Amino acid sequence: MALSQVVGRLIGVRQHQVDPGGGGADRVPRPTTALVVGGGIAGMSAAVVLAERGVAVTVLEAAPTLGGRLGAWPEALADGSQQNEHGFHAFFRQYYNWRSILRRIDSELGFLKPIPGYPILSEQWPTEEFGRLPPAPPANLLALLLRSPSLRLADLRLMDRDAALPLLSYDPVRTYAELDDTTADELLASLRLPDRARAMLFEVFSHSFFNHEAEMSAAEMVAQFHFYLLGNPEGLAFDCPDEDYATAIWEPLTRHVEKHGGRVLTNCAATGVHRDAEGWRVTTTDGGSHPAGHVVLAVDPPALAALVAASPDLAEQAPELAKRMPAFGTPGPPYAVARYWCDGDVAADRAVFNGVSRQPTLDSVTLYHRLENEPRRWAQQTGGSVIELHAYACESGVPAEELAERMRRELVALWPEAGDLRVRELRARVEAQAPAFTPGSHAWRPGVRTDANGLYLAGDGIATDFPSALMERSAATGIIAANHILRAEGGAAEPVRSIRPRGLLAGRTGPNRQNTT
């Protein structure tokens, strides 16, 4: 164990148990049915746990493939079919609940490979490295500050230390009470950091949550700073699958659910959620009507708001949920993904994954031919490369191809040799499905349990009262939804874990109890 992890454990930086699980039979003692609307991380996490406990669970996925924003699908190229994906995702090592679900299909997680380094590219300043830090705080923060050329000792003296204190003192109640009405942009400005330090150390980080810092809650930014850097013993290290997401994750998880008696239906979009004397019923575009005792709605915010609006019963059964939907259903800004199949390659020393600072559109660059096996084979056969460009929060109303070209030009400014690559194929898209974390949104953000008996929510926009984000929040809320059903039906719940619940400098007085929502 690294020295920094030993120190981290001494000061309480370790896994924390949110829900110990157990408390019932290994399998539900009576016939129990559940519908899960949405086949992404949240929905499939719920389905895995329910199916294993003997619940007759059916997953209804609107798309032809599973995964949501972690989806993958075949693309027909001129020289054969290739899998395409929704965008690069880092599987951070403090994603305890998501990794627990993935261990169902590979107990050793052998399909996840470590990604060396985490460079941040800039046209204005030299590249900085976020990776290869000591794994646990406070050593990782000290190492970052000591070695970063963006922040010198003199800058630390000029920094507003009182303004910086919230970054080190996250509290799941106080942080939101004090900072949720403030923007992340205002908090960063109050630190009085040099512009380079703000751009390279903080803006890249905040963009990763698919929100502009001028439109994102400062409390959310503090919470994620705690979750990714200051509250976990794993640090910023992350892994990625060596196969596309369909091959590595969704096909095996589907087989696992089906092995335990569950069903996974694709091309089956929900059109309404209804309540009758027998329980819940979900109608679908194919004319189907699916009855169940429990329902988990595990879809993105716009889809959830649309489904609630199309379900008049919910206004009566869950009036509080219906009241929150107009604000919750407004997504964050659009994001763009462009995958290029090219003749030739970039320089051999370019990193597999790169964050990007202060370009107008481009936020990250991923070299898929150095990451996944299928693109690697294609590149070896053709002498080419497969490069993905991602804009996490881009301008609205711009066509995908135009955003792709903007990102390509911005990449050439960073890596001049990319300008010499001939584009053989391009697949570009723009979507707006990620949750918005606007100032003041914490008060009305729904949690897993709704005000209707037997109806639950899951997803990365759903509130938790313990630190979580992105894929991990999706998995955690899916498991929590399943646990509510299992406890109601006499089944044993699944353990839920998280990181240190409060910041290193948070006050140690008062309650520190974790409750799932």
Side-chain angles (χ1 to χ4, degrees), residues 30 87 137 148 154 163 177 193 198 205 210 219 248 292 357 380 388 395 408 410 424 451 458 468-469 472 503 515:
R30 50 185 173 267
S148 172
L193 290 167
R198 172 172 170 159
F205 178 79
F210 300 91
S357 174
Q380 290 169 348
E388 184 183 274
E395 182 181 349
R408 190 196 67 80
E410 292 168 20
R424 297 172 61 138
D451 49 332
S468 64
E472 176 66 353
N515 295 310

Side-chain angles (χ1 to χ4, degrees), residues 136-170:
N140 58 3
L141 179 62
L142 293 173
L144 181 63
L145 294 176
L146 288 172
R147 80 180 192 193
S148 172
S150 297
L151 198 59
R152 300 298 187 187
L153 184 59
D155 300 323
L156 291 174
R157 292 195 185 103
L158 295 173
M159 186 177 177
D160 187 329
R161 289 181 288 277
D162 289 339
L165 187 61
L167 293 171
L168 304 174
S169 54
Y170 169 76

Side-chain angles (χ1 to χ4, degrees), residues 141 159-180 182-184 186-192 202 205 217-227 229-231 500-507:
L141 179 62
M159 186 177 177
D160 187 329
R161 289 181 288 277
D162 289 339
L165 187 61
L167 293 171
L168 304 174
S169 54
Y170 169 76
D171 179 273
V173 175
R174 189 177 65 246
T175 294
Y176 286 96
E178 295 178 354
L179 292 175
D180 197 46
T182 301
T183 68
E186 290 169 332
L187 177 61
L188 292 175
S190 72
L191 300 180
R192 296 205 302 258
F202 288 98
F205 178 79
S217 158
E220 281 296 334
M221 192 188 75
V222 170
Q224 305 322 330
F225 196 70
H226 173 72
F227 181 67
L229 189 67
L230 294 182
R500 176 189 175 103
R502 306 173 82 198
L504 295 171
L505 300 184

Side-chain angles (χ1 to χ4, degrees), residues 221-257:
M221 192 188 75
V222 170
Q224 305 322 330
F225 196 70
H226 173 72
F227 181 67
Y228 284 97
L229 189 67
L230 294 182
N232 76 80
E234 331 296 344
L236 283 171
F238 60 88
D239 311 298
C240 289
D242 58 3
E243 298 284 0
D244 66 88
Y245 302 139
T247 302
I249 297 171
W250 301 118
E251 292 168 6
L253 278 181
T254 297
R255 291 193 294 268
H256 183 83
V257 169

Side-chain angles (χ1 to χ4, degrees), residues 45-63:
S45 295
V48 163
V49 173
L50 291 170
E52 289 175 345
R53 302 296 195 277
V55 175
V57 61
T58 299
V59 178
L60 307 176
E61 168 55 46

Side-chain angles (χ1 to χ4, degrees), residues 16-199:
H16 283 252
Q17 194 172 75
V18 175
D19 183 344
D26 289 342
R27 294 177 63 82
V28 288
R30 50 185 173 267
T32 302
T33 55
L35 286 170
V36 176
V37 180
I41 294 173
M44 289 299 284
S45 295
V48 163
V49 173
L50 291 170
E52 289 175 345
R53 302 296 195 277
V55 175
V57 61
T58 299
V59 178
L60 307 176
E61 168 55 46
T65 54
L66 298 178
R69 296 201 306 278
L70 193 71
W73 58 91
E75 291 278 8
L77 306 182
D79 56 357
S81 178
Q82 286 269 305
Q83 287 289 113
N84 197 3
E85 291 169 334
H86 211 293
F88 177 87
H89 292 262
F91 290 62
F92 285 91
R93 293 173 190 170
Q94 71 272 27
Y95 285 3
Y96 305 131
N97 298 296
W98 179 218
R99 285 171 177 254
S100 173
I101 295 296
L102 293 176
R103 288 186 191 279
R104 268 60 172 204
I105 58 176
D106 182 347
S107 61
E108 301 300 321
L109 298 181
F111 67 94
L112 291 181
K113 307 301 182 185
I115 301 300
Y118 186 176
I120 305 300
L121 312 178
S122 170
E123 191 176 0
Q124 297 173 255
W125 302 292
T127 298
E128 289 202 30
E129 177 60 65
F130 265 37
R132 304 187 179 95
L133 294 171
N140 58 3
L141 179 62
L142 293 173
L144 181 63
L145 294 176
L146 288 172
R147 80 180 192 193
S148 172
S150 297
L151 198 59
R152 300 298 187 187
L153 184 59
D155 300 323
L156 291 174
R157 292 195 185 103
L158 295 173
M159 186 177 177
D160 187 329
R161 289 181 288 277
D162 289 339
L165 187 61
L167 293 171
L168 304 174
S169 54
Y170 169 76
D171 179 273
V173 175
R174 189 177 65 246
T175 294
Y176 286 96
E178 295 178 354
L179 292 175
D180 197 46
D181 291 326
T182 301
T183 68
D185 184 62
E186 290 169 332
L187 177 61
L188 292 175
S190 72
L191 300 180
R192 296 205 302 258
L193 290 167
D195 189 51
R196 177 179 175 180
R198 172 172 170 159

Side-chain angles (χ1 to χ4, degrees), residues 251-330:
E251 292 168 6
L253 278 181
T254 297
R255 291 193 294 268
H256 183 83
V257 169
E258 291 174 343
K259 182 181 76 173
H260 289 276
R263 295 191 302 160
V264 179
L265 306 179
T266 56
N267 285 312
C268 193
T271 57
V273 182
H274 313 277
R275 184 77 177 178
D276 55 33
E278 302 300 318
W280 292 100
R281 181 168 46 86
V282 175
T283 54
T284 52
T285 48
D286 60 1
S289 181
H290 302 265
H294 304 271
V295 174
V296 179
L297 302 180
V299 294
D300 59 66
L304 178 61
L307 186 57
V308 171
S311 306
D313 287 359
L314 291 183
E316 178 181 348
Q317 298 291 329
E320 185 63 30
L321 173 66
K323 185 172 71 175
R324 296 182 183 209
M325 282 301 99
F328 180 72
T330 301

